[in-house]
Amino acid sequence: MPEMHFHVRWPDDRVEACYSPSLVIKDHFVPGTTYALSDFRERSRVALTIAAERVREKYGFLCSRALGQLARIEAAAAQFEAAPGASVTIVSFEE
């Protein structure tokens, strides 16, 4: 399966490289686009769950790395929940 990284800029301007075991991320995000925090979280949940399931379909088990990435995104996003207008920018894709 083609894996990829997608680089995100959090509300505190920190850039993080996130992992996906599938290119499905490209169906849910556009580089250079800024998403409201809640929208980013939901898109991440959907995309990384699909990616983990694609691994299951091919290899017979869920991708724990994709689910771990989702957990890290959830934890990071929780830090900014109280910030009004918090948003996340998709900086780039790396295949």
Side-chain angles (χ1 to χ4, degrees):
M1 293 189 79
E3 63 183 13
M4 68 175 294
H5 288 87
F6 55 108
H7 300 264
V8 301
R9 179 174 292 113
W10 291 100
D12 62 359
D13 283 333
R14 178 177 53 90
V15 175
E16 178 179 359
C18 299
Y19 171 81
S20 173
S22 166
L23 301 180
V24 71
I25 295 299
K26 292 181 170 186
D27 295 338
H28 298 272
F29 294 113
V30 176
T33 302
T34 300
Y35 298 89
L37 184 65
S38 60
D39 188 27
F40 173 74
R41 287 173 80 168
E42 184 57 29
R43 287 171 183 262
S44 296
R45 283 182 195 128
V46 171
L48 289 169
T49 300
I50 291 169
E53 286 293 339
R54 286 184 178 177
V55 170
R56 183 199 318 251
E57 290 170 10
K58 187 167 184 171
Y59 299 106
F61 54 86
L62 278 174
C63 179
S64 60
R65 192 168 170 199
L67 298 177
Q69 180 62 68
L70 178 56
R72 285 188 296 283
I73 286 171
E74 295 278 1
Q79 298 173 29
F80 304 107
E81 280 183 349
S87 61
V88 178
T89 301
I90 304 300
V91 176
S92 62
F93 292 150
E94 179 185 340
E95 293 181 47

